[in-house]
Amino acid sequence: MENNQIITLPHLTNEMVVSARKTKLCAYAVAIEGWRRGLTLKWYTIDSGKFDNMITFGVNPPGRLFSLSSKERTHYFFRTRGDKVSNEAVEVGADKDETKIYLSKAGVPVPQGDKFGADATDEEIIKYTNSLEYPVVLKPTNGSLGNGVITNIKGEKTLRKALAYVRSDLGYREVIVERFFPGEEYRVYVIEDQVIAAYNRLPANITGDGVHTVEELIELKNQQRRKNARLFSCLIEVDQETHEFVETAGYSMDSVPRKGEKILLHEKTNVSAGGDPIDVTDKLAPEIKQIAINAVKAIPGLYHGGVDIIIDHSKPVEKSAVVIELNPTAQIGGILFPIKGKARDIPSAIIDYYFPETKEIGKEKPNIYFDFNTVLEPLQNRSAVEVEVAPAHVGKLYAKKYIVSGAVKRVRYYEWIKKEALDRQLNGYINNLMSGEIEVVIAGADKDVVNNFKDIFSERPDLGEVKKVKEEVYRSPVKIGFEISEGFKTTSLRSVEATLRKMEKEKRRIEKEMNRMTKEVNKIKQSRSWKMTFFLRNISNFLKKAF
C-alpha cells in the first residue's frame, strides 16, 4: 500500500462528521463554520417555504437546506450553494450544452461537439459523430455524478451500444457528443477571483506491492477509504468493469501485481464510484487556475462553484486544458477529506464571502460541534419544518480530560456530574473505561472553571469514594451539551467494525468458493463422460421415483 501523507483540518474531524454523509457532509461543513462564528443556524425541510425562490431540484431529505443569520441579514444555502448564486446561473450549470455556449463566448476552452434533443434519431447522432475525429465522449445534457457519461468511444459500433444504453436503458434522451480530450480530471473550486482548492480526481485504482493479490489490494484500499469521512460510503466495487480493467492490465483477481505498478479499476473519476481525491491546490499552474476563474465569470450570477477541467500534461500549458462542466452546487467532501495531500478549508472561504465581518472570529475556531442526527430528528419525523440549533460558544475553548478512580454509585453519580457540568455551562461527556475507571471530558470558555472541576469529583461521599483523579489537556472535538455514554462506547465501536470486516472477508471467501464450484460443475457437464452417461442417469432417477 502507498504511504500517503494526509494533512486534515483539525477543526473538521472524522468524529465530528460521522452523521453527515455524502451531500449532507457538504452542507454540515459550511453550516458548522458559520455556527461557530456566532451566526444563528437553522435547518429546514423543503416544505418550509423558505426556499421557494431558490432552485433545489426538489430536494426532500433534511440536512441539505439551512440558513445562517447575523443581526443584519440572513443568507439561505442549499448544500454549498448560497443565495448569492442566481437561479439563472444554476439552470445554465445544469445544462451542459448551455454551459458550453457561455464558456465558448467568453473564450474559455471547451471540447468540440454538439447537442442533440430528445427527438434526434441515433442515426443523426452517428452521422454527426462520424464527421468528428474519434475517440468521442457521449453524455446526457442534465446528468449528474457521472451518470450516463461514456468516454473514449473509439468507433461507430461502440457508439451505437453507448447510445442504446444512455438513451434507452437510462432514459437520457437529450445527449451531447464531444471530441474525447485525453488527460487527467480536476475539480477546481472558485470564489469570484480566487481558486480556493483544487484536487485531481483519479479513477478507482490500486498499486501493486509484490505481495498481495489484486483482490487483497482492493480490500486494503477499501480499508483505507473506510477511515475517511468522505470515502467511507464510496468503496471500490468489484463488478464486470473491474474485471475487464484488471484483465486489460494482464492480471486476474488472484494475481500479484508487480511492486509500484498502478492498475485502474474503473473508468469514472467520481469519488462516489471509488475515485481518489488528491489535493493539487499548490501545484496547479497559474494558467489553469485562471481558466477556472474565467469559467465562473463567464456565467452571469455564478459567483462561486466547482469547475471540472481535463488537463493533458503532454501539451504546452496554454493548450493543455478544457473545461467540461460547471457545478454551482459542487460537492466539496473530496477536498475536505482527500486521500492524499492537504485538506482545503472551502467552508471558511464561503462564510468569509457571505459574512466578511466574521473573518476575524473565524480565525479562532472552537473545537466544538453539534450532533447532526439529534438536530435533524424533528425534521426527519416531520414534527417540524424548521429547527434552530442552540448557539455555539464563540472564541477560545478550554478542555480537560479527567480519569476518576474509585467506587461510586454509577447512575446517580453520573447524573450528578452531568448536572454540575451543565450548571457551569460546560460541555463534554462521562464514560466507562474497560479498566473500571471513569473518563470525564469537560470543555468551556472559562479556563479556571474547567481546571477547578477536578475538585467536584470528591464532593459527594454519599455517592461513593473517589480515590484518585488524573488530568490531561483534551484536544479532540467536543460535542455541545453533556452526554452520559452507555457501556464501553469506544471499544464497542472498534469491535463492531472488526466484526464487520471479518464478515465481509468471509462473504468474499464463500462467493469465491461458489464461483469455483460453479466452474467445476459446468466443466463436468461439458465433459464427454457426463454426456455419455446421460441415459443411465435418467433411468436411475426414474427408478428412484418409482420405488
Side-chain angles (χ1 to χ4, degrees):
M1 289 295 293
E2 295 173 288
N3 184 18
N4 296 329
Q5 184 182 8
I6 305 171
I7 302 175
T8 57
L9 297 173
H11 58 279
L12 198 66
T13 65
N14 279 18
E15 180 185 356
M16 284 177 49
V17 301
V18 68
S19 56
R21 298 296 183 196
K22 299 182 179 179
T23 54
K24 281 169 60 176
L25 170 59
C26 303
Y28 181 75
V30 176
I32 200 170
E33 176 65 30
W35 176 74
R36 281 170 164 169
R37 297 188 188 190
L39 299 173
T40 300
L41 170 61
K42 293 182 180 181
W43 294 92
Y44 303 90
T45 67
I46 193 66
D47 307 316
S48 65
K50 300 289 186 179
F51 293 80
D52 290 347
N53 297 321
M54 188 174 180
I55 294 177
T56 58
F57 303 106
V59 64
N60 194 37
R64 281 85 173 169
L65 304 174
F66 63 96
S67 70
L68 290 166
S69 305
S70 64
K71 291 181 180 179
E72 291 77 25
R73 63 191 180 282
T74 295
H75 285 295
Y76 293 90
F77 294 83
F78 171 45
R79 288 159 39 186
T80 58
R81 169 167 46 90
D83 53 17
K84 285 189 178 184
V85 176
S86 69
N87 285 338
E88 291 74 20
V90 177
E91 289 172 344
V92 171
D95 189 319
K96 294 179 176 61
D97 186 62
E98 193 75 10
T99 300
K100 281 185 64 176
I101 293 172
Y102 275 90
L103 294 178
S104 297
K105 287 180 179 178
V108 177
V110 294
Q112 180 186 357
D114 206 351
K115 172 185 175 180
F116 295 88
D119 297 333
T121 65
D122 286 358
E123 294 305 321
E124 289 178 80
I125 299 172
I126 291 167
K127 183 179 179 181
Y128 168 79
T129 306
N130 287 337
S131 69
L132 296 175
E133 183 181 340
Y134 283 97
V136 297
V137 176
L138 176 71
K139 56 187 178 182
T141 59
N142 59 350
S144 62
L145 300 176
N147 293 326
V149 178
I150 312 296
T151 65
N152 203 13
I153 299 171
K154 296 180 179 178
E156 184 178 321
K157 184 178 179 181
T158 309
L159 176 62
R160 289 183 181 276
K161 290 182 179 179
L163 285 169
Y165 173 68
V166 174
R167 304 190 86 203
S168 299
D169 295 350
L170 298 183
Y172 292 118
R173 295 297 301 170
E174 289 191 358
V175 295
I176 295 173
V177 176
E178 294 176 341
R179 286 275 306 276
F180 175 73
F181 193 89
E184 295 185 348
E185 190 171 324
Y186 295 78
R187 164 67 59 82
V188 185
Y189 198 89
V190 175
I191 298 182
E192 288 204 330
D193 293 320
Q194 186 180 3
V195 168
I196 307 300
Y199 64 99
N200 186 194
R201 302 199 303 185
L202 294 178
N205 65 86
I206 54 172
T207 301
D209 59 7
V211 177
H212 295 92
T213 66
V214 170
E215 184 177 20
E216 290 169 341
L217 288 169
I218 292 173
E219 175 53 26
L220 288 171
K221 187 70 173 281
N222 279 337
Q223 286 181 21
Q224 181 186 5
R225 295 175 77 87
R226 287 188 187 97
K227 298 174 184 177
N228 183 297
R230 171 66 183 101
L231 310 180
F232 176 89
S233 56
C234 305
L235 303 182
I236 299 172
E237 293 186 9
V238 178
D239 53 20
Q240 184 60 37
E241 183 183 7
T242 309
H243 284 280
E244 290 173 0
F245 270 79
V246 170
E247 289 172 8
T248 301
Y251 295 105
S252 69
M253 297 299 288
D254 296 324
S255 303
V256 177
R258 293 183 294 274
K259 186 175 181 179
E261 182 175 7
K262 181 166 284 187
I263 300 173
L264 296 182
L265 304 174
H266 286 161
E267 190 167 41
K268 288 182 181 179
T269 61
N270 300 73
V271 170
S272 57
D276 286 348
I278 299 174
D279 169 51
V280 294
T281 308
D282 298 330
K283 298 177 182 178
L284 205 63
E287 294 87 346
I288 305 299
K289 290 182 178 180
Q290 191 59 52
I291 288 175
I293 292 169
N294 293 343
V296 170
K297 284 185 172 182
I299 312 300
L302 179 62
Y303 303 106
H304 61 97
V307 183
D308 290 347
I309 300 178
I310 292 180
I311 304 174
D312 184 351
H313 294 287
S314 66
K315 295 180 179 180
V317 66
E318 64 274 8
K319 297 181 179 179
S320 65
V322 293
V323 175
I324 58 171
E325 195 170 338
L326 290 179
N327 296 274
T329 317
Q331 289 202 45
I332 60 174
I335 195 62
L336 293 179
F337 296 93
I339 203 165
K340 183 179 180 181
K342 181 180 179 181
R344 303 292 171 163
D345 202 349
I346 294 176
S348 284
I350 292 175
I351 299 303
D352 286 349
Y353 179 61
Y354 281 85
F355 297 92
E357 69 277 14
T358 67
K359 278 187 179 182
E360 287 302 313
I361 301 174
K363 292 178 181 178
E364 186 68 68
K365 299 181 189 294
N367 221 358
I368 195 166
Y369 67 105
F370 58 85
D371 184 78
F372 205 18
N373 285 336
T374 301
V375 168
L376 294 182
E377 187 174 354
L379 306 182
Q380 300 277 19
N381 62 29
R382 301 189 178 185
S383 62
V385 294
E386 68 177 69
V387 172
E388 182 175 330
V389 182
H393 163 77
V394 177
K396 189 171 181 59
L397 194 72
Y398 301 93
K400 280 286 186 73
K401 178 165 73 173
Y402 297 102
I403 305 298
V404 181
S405 304
V408 298
K409 300 174 182 178
R410 301 227 166 194
V411 175
R412 291 177 61 195
Y413 187 77
Y414 285 14
E415 290 291 347
W416 173 68
I417 291 294
K418 178 178 180 178
K419 179 181 181 300
E420 293 296 315
L422 293 177
D423 285 348
R424 291 164 175 76
Q425 296 184 319
L426 297 173
N427 303 284
Y429 67 84
I430 186 168
N431 184 42
N432 297 330
L433 296 178
M434 292 294 290
S435 61
E437 296 172 307
I438 302 168
E439 177 187 53
V440 183
V441 168
I442 294 294
D446 191 318
K447 187 177 182 179
D448 291 336
V449 173
V450 172
N451 289 336
N452 293 335
F453 197 83
K454 63 184 176 185
D455 300 329
I456 301 294
F457 297 115
S458 303
E459 287 186 358
R460 289 291 300 271
D462 58 311
L463 297 180
E465 180 186 7
V466 174
K467 295 181 179 179
K468 185 179 179 183
V469 178
K470 294 183 290 184
E471 65 178 281
E472 62 183 76
V473 175
Y474 187 77
R475 293 186 172 85
S476 297
V478 178
K479 191 187 300 183
I480 190 171
F482 195 90
E483 183 179 78
I484 297 177
S485 298
E486 297 179 3
F488 308 106
K489 190 174 181 182
T490 305
T491 305
S492 298
L493 283 173
R494 290 200 190 110
S495 176
V496 169
E497 290 174 354
T499 303
L500 286 173
R501 286 196 295 271
K502 288 180 181 179
M503 291 173 66
E504 288 177 1
K505 188 174 181 180
E506 180 64 13
K507 179 186 173 185
R508 289 194 301 274
R509 187 193 67 77
I510 294 172
E511 288 175 345
K512 187 176 179 181
E513 182 65 19
M514 287 180 66
N515 289 335
R516 187 191 67 78
M517 293 178 65
T518 301
K519 289 179 182 178
E520 288 294 325
V521 170
N522 290 335
K523 187 176 179 181
I524 292 171
K525 289 183 177 180
Q526 296 300 319
S527 67
R528 187 177 178 183
S529 59
W530 180 266
K531 293 176 181 177
M532 291 179 65
T533 57
F534 175 77
F535 179 73
L536 291 175
R537 288 198 308 277
N538 281 351
I539 291 292
S540 175
N541 289 335
F542 174 77
L543 292 174
K544 285 179 182 178
K545 289 179 181 179
F547 295 99

